[in-house]
Amino acid sequence: MKAVLIPFDVGQPIPITKDVTILGRREYCDIQIDHPSLSKRHCVLVKTDGLLVIRDLITTNGTKVKGQKIRWAALLPDDKISLGSIKFRVYLGPDDVPSPAEVGGSGKSVPAKPAPARSKSSSASSRPAPRPAAEDDDLPLILDERAWTNALGSDSDEEEIIELG
């Protein structure tokens, strides 16, 4: 299964090639996006048997799927996600069909750094600007597959779990 994050504004499509992918601001992340609204380790994406699962890593500005703040969610084709203030559309498709990252241009897909935040006039939006992400180096990171399954299966906070589909 191919999985690609397609940015709404600026940048190249970002292919998700690993089974477990960490996305954040720092160079030690699998996908680095240097943007002030992202945490150092912002989220983890897990690919399994035709499914892409996203898990927020206790971030300052949060992760949203279809406009709803989530702790984790199963992503479907064409879902809209927000990581901090950066928005993406999710592409999921078969391995033998070209993804948006492979169509047009040079065929190469290199994660592009987002454009600098645009200044908004006071009448353009009453929404506050995203806060700079907190320092999160000391937060636990679940990578062990068993721990991931246990964490998803033992989540008792029903209000924050959103069933998509």
Side-chain angles (χ1 to χ4, degrees), residues 9-122:
D9 294 327
V10 176
Q12 297 288 324
I14 301 170
I16 308 301
T17 57
K18 299 169 83 177
D19 288 339
V20 177
T21 302
I22 299 173
L23 189 145
R25 278 184 309 166
R26 294 294 186 219
E27 61 280 347
Y28 49 73
C29 294
D30 298 311
I31 297 173
Q32 179 190 7
I33 300 175
D34 189 18
H35 192 276
S37 70
L38 292 184
S39 293
K40 289 179 182 178
R41 287 183 307 233
H42 195 89
C43 67
V44 62
L45 295 159
V46 178
K47 277 190 347 182
T48 61
D49 300 329
L51 186 67
L52 185 63
V53 176
I54 189 168
R55 171 91 161 96
D56 182 77
L57 295 175
I58 314 170
T59 60
T60 302
N61 292 315
T63 299
K64 293 181 181 180
V65 176
K66 296 182 184 174
Q68 297 289 319
K69 192 168 185 177
I70 56 98
R71 290 191 344 197
W72 71 271
L75 298 174
L76 299 172
D78 292 322
D79 273 352
K80 315 288 189 275
I81 65 171
S82 298
L83 308 176
S85 64
I86 304 171
K87 294 180 170 81
F88 295 95
R89 181 176 63 85
V90 176
Y91 171 84
L92 298 175
D95 286 328
D96 58 347
V97 175
S99 72
E102 299 165 328
V103 175
S106 66
K108 295 181 181 178
S109 177
V110 179
K113 296 190 189 269
R118 294 177 222 141
S119 61
K120 296 180 182 178
S121 66
S122 59

